[in-house]
Amino acid sequence: MDYEVCRKVWDSQIAAQITIQNRDEILPFYTMLPRFSYFSVVLQDILQFFTSRDNELNLDGEKIWLESKGVPLKMYIPIGVIFDLNNEVEGDTWHIVIKTSNAPSGYRTINRETMEQIYLQNLKEADFLKRKAETIQNMQIDEHRMLWDSICNNHFDDFWGINKKLMDTSDKMFDSIPLRVYERNRPAFKQTLLNPRNDSGELVTVGHAICQLLAISEILPTSTLISHGIRIPAETPLIYAAKNLTYPDNFVHICVLKND
Amino acid sequence: MEPSSSYRLDILNQLDAREQQQKPIQTMFRHYATMAEQVKRNKKMQSVSGADQIAALKEEVATVYRMKNKNDQDLINSNRKFADLESKYAQMQSQKEQADKLAEKLAENIERLENDMVQLKDDNNVVTVERVALANACQELSEKKTQLEMERVQLIDKIRELQEKRAEFMNAEIALQEERAQKLLMEQIAKAAQDISYDERASSAFGNSPETSDEFMMTDVIPNTQKFRISAHDGDVNDIEWFTEDTFATAGNDNKVRIWSLTPNKSGATKIASLIGSNGSVTRLDYEPERRVCLAASNDKTCRLWNVDSQRLLATFSGHTDKVSSARLHQTHNVVSGSSDRTIKLWDVASLRCLKTCMVGSIVYDIIAKCGGCHSSFASGHFDKKLRFWDSRQNDPTKILELDQKITSLDIAIDGSHLLASCRDDTLHVIDIRTYFTVHTYSAENYRTACDNNRAIFSSTGDYIASGAANGSIFIWNTKTTRLEKVLRAPRAPDGNSILSLSWNQSGRGLLACDKQKTCSLWR
């Protein structure tokens, strides 16, 4: 594990300005949102902030939905991924509106417990891809809970203490790399089995993997690969990315943005 | 593994740049968060403090209210206490006024008392002076008294001496008399020894009386004249009885029985002795010649027995609850007595015990003891007009005879078969004991029974009966002819001199009468 990179990746944050729909008299909430967390997790704190500000404000955690620039925000995708997907400019503060009106159809408000389950599911999927889920199945429930708690409470050391086991390739190489590719304006991500090494034994690069995924010949210079808010060089080995540039669910989420 | 490849460097640089870029905003947001936190805290503190203040103020208000309550309560208590104290004070004031008045009065009293005391002291002085004077007088008088006492003692001594002398004289005289009597006795004995032609019957008569021996007869001679009249007692003379031919006894209301002796010429009687011991007037006498004892029934509820010669009181029979009206010697060692307590008692002389008490039911006026052929029979006369004949061995009367009026006295003739009963209806009845028939009833024109105790008698032979009347005369009837033979009237005898009792001399001559005028008289 590349400590420096992992650490910086974990500490990445987004400046956010949160307001409430139709309540302009309430001063907005300014906060730094951690990229690796989920809206389901931070929403509680945001709401608590607002209610402490104004006791009469009654925001039901089950009924509200989040929107930015008119786009509903998915709660089950890491915050960093959503930001990268929706925003072009890195330096701006993200305007998020808490909407109390009816959510659009298909929108699911996820609470924290459900998010935990989704997270663990993703984690198991990633480990299955990597080594047929041997490691995660050998892990105890306490360790799963600790992983989730360290995400909720921003404990880097606790998290990587357990995550190390999932990233261990001293024994043998991963079978395949968990990678999800997002494209703007595309609803879902793309995912496929990707070998860390190609036939000739060389490490597969990220650009190569994405080409393989998107079925394109090469990465055009107009497209940028964004993950964690930074441009990932195409020649980064996939295995390197899998170990150091993953989100807590052990997936590498990359957004392909076209520079128009 | 840390490859120093370019891609890594590229990534690192981007991450660093981004971090730097975000730093100000991060700082700003941090400050914002802190400020928000501060605002929140302030608000909480304010609200908290506000709430705290309110709570504190509320508590204060509560405490203030409580204190106010307490103060109000205290005020009320104080007011009440004050009212109490005021009333007490008023009370005290009035008491003080009263006390002042009292003090004034007491001061006055003290003044008055002091004055009195001064006066009393003066009086005391005066009295002391008087006392001293009186003490002196007293002393003088006591000296006189001692003197007089000494004189008295001297006089008493003298009296004693004189009395002793008198006693000596009396003794001497008695001795002389005794000598004389002895001499006489010796002479009589000598004479009697010479004269052996004495009649047996005469010698069986009481004593030896040479003077009357030639006059002795067994026939009754009706007396004519009063030979003498002597004052016998200090009160009524209730009974009179011949002891011997020359001696008789009188019983009087002065509680004494006097024994008299006839003077040789029968013209007087001298008192030989007095039998004393009775505490009430003596009502009836009885005489026992063999043992020379005299039995007297008395109003002091007793019968007494004296020895005539020694004048000693031999016996007192007490047991009756009322005056004893009559007592007789019976069967040589018994006494039968009848009393106003309606009983007849039979006594034993030796043991002085009452052997029998017969409840008769009527006041006993007289008893006669030697009636009938049987020695143990006696008769009694009663208030209820009945004459009862008794046998001392039985409790009930053997015969009851009823007469017309209460029976005042009984007498039995020397033959023992005729009974004389004197009745209050001024009659005398002679009853034959054997047949219980009234032989004859005697009465006379002027004859009035003297009193309830009037005693009528047979003559010594039974030929005559005599009774004293209320007017002082003695009526004598002849039993054979049943006619009034004689009325004896004393010369110069005052009327109303009731004759209470009679006694006919055993020799037949000499009738003694005693009366209410304290005298007794002899008729021959």
Side-chain angles (χ1 to χ4, degrees):
Chain A
M1 139 191 163
D2 192 346
Y3 183 82
E4 235 182 302
V5 173
C6 289
R7 187 75 215 213
K8 287 190 196 288
V9 161
W10 180 274
D11 288 339
S12 310
Q13 289 175 324
I14 303 171
Q17 175 194 354
I18 308 167
T19 55
I20 300 180
Q21 176 197 18
N22 300 332
R23 300 294 291 271
D24 295 328
E25 76 277 6
I26 299 176
L27 296 175
F29 180 38
Y30 295 96
T31 184
M32 302 299 287
L33 297 173
R35 273 181 173 271
F36 63 84
S37 185
Y38 299 85
F39 271 119
S40 304
V41 174
V42 301
L43 188 60
Q44 201 169 345
D45 293 331
I46 296 166
L47 292 180
Q48 195 180 10
F49 175 83
F50 276 116
T51 46
S52 72
R53 204 51 105 66
D54 188 352
N55 290 345
E56 295 158 6
L57 195 61
N58 212 1
L59 291 173
D60 189 3
E62 305 286 320
K63 295 244 176 68
I64 53 171
W65 53 288
L66 298 168
E67 183 218 55
S68 171
K69 291 199 211 151
V71 177
L73 304 175
K74 293 181 184 147
M75 288 187 165
Y76 50 86
I77 295 179
I79 295 170
V81 176
I82 295 176
F83 182 77
D84 295 336
L85 204 54
N86 292 338
N87 290 54
E88 309 89 3
V89 185
E90 172 57 40
D92 285 348
T93 27
W94 196 13
H95 286 226
I96 303 176
V97 182
I98 297 178
K99 305 283 265 191
T100 53
S101 55
N102 287 340
S105 59
Y107 187 91
R108 287 284 165 84
T109 309
I110 314 283
N111 61 8
R112 205 184 264 208
E113 288 81 25
T114 321
M115 194 62 236
E116 187 181 352
Q117 298 305 317
I118 295 173
Y119 165 76
L120 285 173
Q121 189 64 34
N122 284 343
L123 197 64
K124 283 174 189 167
E125 189 182 338
D127 198 51
F128 181 76
L129 286 172
K130 284 198 275 189
R131 329 154 214 262
K132 304 280 186 290
E134 282 169 14
T135 316
I136 196 129
Q137 277 171 0
N138 291 337
M139 276 167 68
Q140 296 173 358
I141 293 185
D142 287 343
E143 291 174 309
H144 292 168
R145 197 160 297 134
M146 179 159 267
L147 284 173
W148 178 249
D149 284 340
S150 33
I151 292 170
C152 293
N153 300 327
N154 197 356
H155 290 149
F156 173 79
D157 295 315
D158 290 336
F159 179 80
W160 273 101
I162 301 168
N163 206 25
K164 250 202 297 221
K165 295 187 209 170
L166 294 166
M167 294 298 180
D168 189 17
T169 54
S170 55
D171 220 15
K172 66 176 185 149
M173 181 59 74
F174 294 150
D175 291 335
S176 62
I177 305 293
L179 173 69
R180 285 185 182 159
V181 176
Y182 298 82
E183 282 183 298
R184 193 173 285 180
N185 302 326
R186 289 276 164 86
F189 54 80
K190 289 203 170 83
Q191 182 182 328
T192 186
L193 282 174
L194 294 164
N195 251 320
R197 291 183 194 273
N198 61 12
D199 300 327
S200 56
E202 289 176 355
L203 296 170
V204 178
T205 63
V206 170
H208 194 75
I210 290 172
C211 288
Q212 194 179 336
L213 250 176
L214 294 177
I216 53 175
S217 56
E218 63 165 11
I219 303 290
L220 293 176
T222 53
S223 322
T224 353
L225 307 174
I226 307 276
S227 182
H228 300 291
I230 53 167
R231 182 179 54 77
I232 308 289
E235 60 270 19
T236 312
L238 200 58
I239 191 71
Y240 183 81
K243 281 197 187 173
N244 303 307
L245 296 175
T246 53
Y247 279 83
D249 57 356
N250 282 12
F251 268 90
V252 183
H253 301 265
I254 296 184
C255 302
V256 178
L257 297 176
K258 297 197 170 34
N259 306 335
D260 303 296
Chain B
M1 58 157 180
E2 280 189 23
S4 57
S5 336
S6 57
Y7 61 85
R8 184 174 172 272
L9 283 169
D10 195 359
I11 291 168
L12 270 172
N13 289 339
Q14 284 187 67
L15 287 168
D16 281 334
R18 210 255 311 276
E19 207 178 305
Q20 292 292 38
Q21 195 194 19
Q22 278 190 333
K23 243 201 187 57
I25 293 182
Q26 218 172 21
T27 323
M28 194 167 67
F29 279 15
R30 212 180 321 124
H31 291 160
Y32 171 85
T34 323
M35 219 160 48
E37 190 65 23
Q38 271 185 4
V39 165
K40 199 162 76 172
R41 221 181 301 134
N42 277 348
K43 255 189 15 188
K44 215 190 270 181
M45 261 171 59
Q46 266 182 17
S47 70
V48 160
S49 68
D52 268 355
Q53 268 184 15
I54 287 175
L57 285 170
K58 274 194 185 148
E59 272 226 20
E60 248 188 80
V61 167
T63 24
V64 166
Y65 271 128
R66 245 180 274 132
M67 278 185 60
K68 177 174 173 297
N69 271 351
K70 206 157 45 105
N71 284 344
D72 284 343
Q73 193 65 30
D74 283 345
L75 182 65
I76 290 173
N77 285 350
S78 307
N79 276 345
R80 213 184 299 137
K81 258 194 216 165
F82 179 65
D84 277 346
L85 287 171
E86 270 206 340
S87 70
K88 264 193 202 155
Y89 175 68
Q91 248 184 342
M92 289 280 149
Q93 282 276 55
S94 67
Q95 274 184 7
K96 178 179 170 290
E97 278 176 36
Q98 277 181 351
D100 281 340
K101 277 193 212 147
L102 197 63
E104 265 185 44
K105 266 194 233 161
L106 286 173
E108 279 180 26
N109 274 358
I110 288 175
E111 237 189 79
R112 200 166 16 95
L113 286 170
E114 278 184 4
N115 289 340
D116 285 345
M117 198 166 70
V118 166
Q119 223 182 348
L120 281 171
K121 276 206 183 128
D122 287 338
D123 290 343
N124 189 24
N125 282 342
V126 167
V127 167
T128 324
V129 166
E130 275 185 32
R131 183 177 80 76
V132 166
L134 284 172
N136 285 339
C138 173
Q139 193 155 7
E140 281 179 39
L141 286 172
S142 54
E143 279 174 20
K144 270 196 198 160
K145 172 176 166 261
T146 44
Q147 246 187 339
L148 287 170
E149 285 223 327
M150 274 171 45
E151 283 184 26
R152 173 174 160 270
V153 164
Q154 281 177 355
L155 285 170
I156 284 176
D157 286 340
K158 267 198 193 157
I159 288 173
R160 204 178 306 133
E161 279 178 40
L162 287 170
Q163 272 187 341
E164 278 179 18
K165 278 193 187 151
R166 176 163 151 264
E168 276 177 32
F169 280 139
M170 292 220 34
N171 284 343
E173 211 178 297
I174 287 171
L176 269 171
Q177 276 195 2
E178 273 184 12
E179 263 189 54
R180 239 184 266 143
Q182 281 272 22
K183 264 198 202 154
L184 269 167
L185 210 60
M186 298 298 291
E187 281 176 18
Q188 278 177 16
I189 286 171
K191 248 200 184 159
Q194 287 175 8
D195 196 356
I196 54 172
S197 59
Y198 262 64
D199 201 22
E200 291 266 348
R201 248 174 135 188
S203 68
S204 77
F206 308 104
N208 297 319
S209 182
E211 286 89 344
T212 56
S213 59
D214 50 338
E215 291 183 26
F216 181 76
M217 357 164 125
M218 269 313 291
T219 57
D220 296 329
V221 173
I222 297 175
N224 314 340
T225 53
Q226 185 182 41
K227 284 289 182 187
F228 65 81
R229 187 152 178 260
I230 50 168
S231 178
H233 282 270
D234 293 328
D236 300 354
V237 188
N238 286 327
D239 200 10
I240 194 162
E241 190 79 39
W242 283 105
F243 279 5
T244 66
E245 274 194 44
D246 290 331
T247 57
F248 61 93
T250 55
N253 268 0
D254 61 352
N255 309 353
K256 290 207 193 94
V257 175
R258 292 220 166 103
I259 304 178
W260 308 84
S261 171
L262 287 178
T263 53
N265 55 0
K266 319 267 186 297
S267 59
T270 55
K271 185 171 78 166
I272 313 179
S274 292
L275 300 177
I276 54 174
S278 179
N279 296 325
S281 42
V282 184
T283 49
R284 282 270 185 264
L285 295 171
D286 195 20
Y287 182 68
E288 169 78 54
E290 269 114 65
R291 288 178 297 170
R292 299 183 70 80
V293 294
C294 168
L295 176 69
S298 162
N299 274 359
D300 68 351
K301 310 171 193 169
T302 61
C303 322
R304 286 172 208 271
L305 194 68
W306 288 268
N307 182 308
V308 170
D309 296 325
S310 65
Q311 297 125 46
R312 272 199 313 118
L313 176 63
L314 296 176
T316 306
F317 302 97
S318 47
H320 279 291
T321 55
D322 206 345
K323 49 191 179 188
V324 186
S325 44
S326 180
R328 297 276 175 215
L329 293 156
H330 178 68
Q331 278 190 295
T332 67
H333 43 258
N334 288 348
V335 165
V336 62
S337 65
S339 159
S340 302
D341 66 358
R342 302 182 180 88
T343 62
I344 296 174
K345 281 183 192 279
L346 191 67
W347 309 82
D348 177 47
V349 170
S351 63
L352 304 182
R353 278 193 311 113
C354 170
L355 296 174
K356 204 190 297 186
T357 305
C358 306
M359 303 290 196
V360 185
S362 172
I363 296 177
V364 182
Y365 276 120
D366 203 2
I367 290 190
I368 197 85
K370 299 194 185 78
C371 57
C374 185
H375 283 289
S376 60
S377 55
F378 59 93
S380 58
H382 297 269
F383 175 90
D384 63 349
K385 314 166 200 165
K386 292 203 174 70
L387 178 63
R388 289 179 172 86
F389 292 89
W390 305 78
D391 189 319
S392 64
R393 294 169 292 197
Q394 291 171 358
N395 281 347
D396 294 317
T398 51
K399 181 78 184 164
I400 302 178
L401 287 181
E402 181 147 357
L403 299 177
D404 298 320
Q405 257 291 359
K406 52 188 173 187
I407 299 160
T408 63
S409 82
L410 299 170
D411 196 20
I412 194 138
I414 199 139
D415 61 4
S417 56
H418 286 95
L419 182 83
L420 173 67
S422 159
C423 277
R424 203 70 173 82
D425 61 354
D426 312 324
T427 57
L428 301 163
H429 302 256
V430 174
I431 298 165
D432 188 333
I433 294 174
R434 295 164 296 197
T435 61
Y436 299 114
F437 258 163
T438 308
V439 174
H440 197 265
T441 307
Y442 298 86
S443 60
E445 213 181 296
N446 293 333
Y447 173 66
R448 303 273 174 275
T449 311
C451 67
D452 285 348
N453 301 335
N454 182 29
R455 188 155 166 249
I457 54 167
F458 272 111
S459 65
S460 59
T461 56
D463 291 335
Y464 302 97
I465 54 175
S467 179
N471 58 4
S473 32
I474 303 171
F475 289 74
I476 303 175
W477 291 264
N478 189 326
T479 53
K480 303 261 181 337
T481 62
T482 73
R483 281 192 307 112
L484 178 68
E485 280 279 338
K486 191 114 182 156
V487 177
L488 295 172
R489 180 172 276 283
R492 302 183 320 269
D495 255 346
N497 178 20
S498 323
I499 306 282
L500 293 178
S501 184
L502 300 166
S503 186
W504 202 295
N505 196 322
Q506 301 90 354
S507 65
R509 289 176 80 106
L511 177 64
L512 279 173
C514 63
D515 54 34
K516 252 192 160 114
Q517 300 289 338
K518 311 173 193 173
T519 61
C520 68
S521 45
L522 173 67
W523 300 76
R524 268 178 146 253

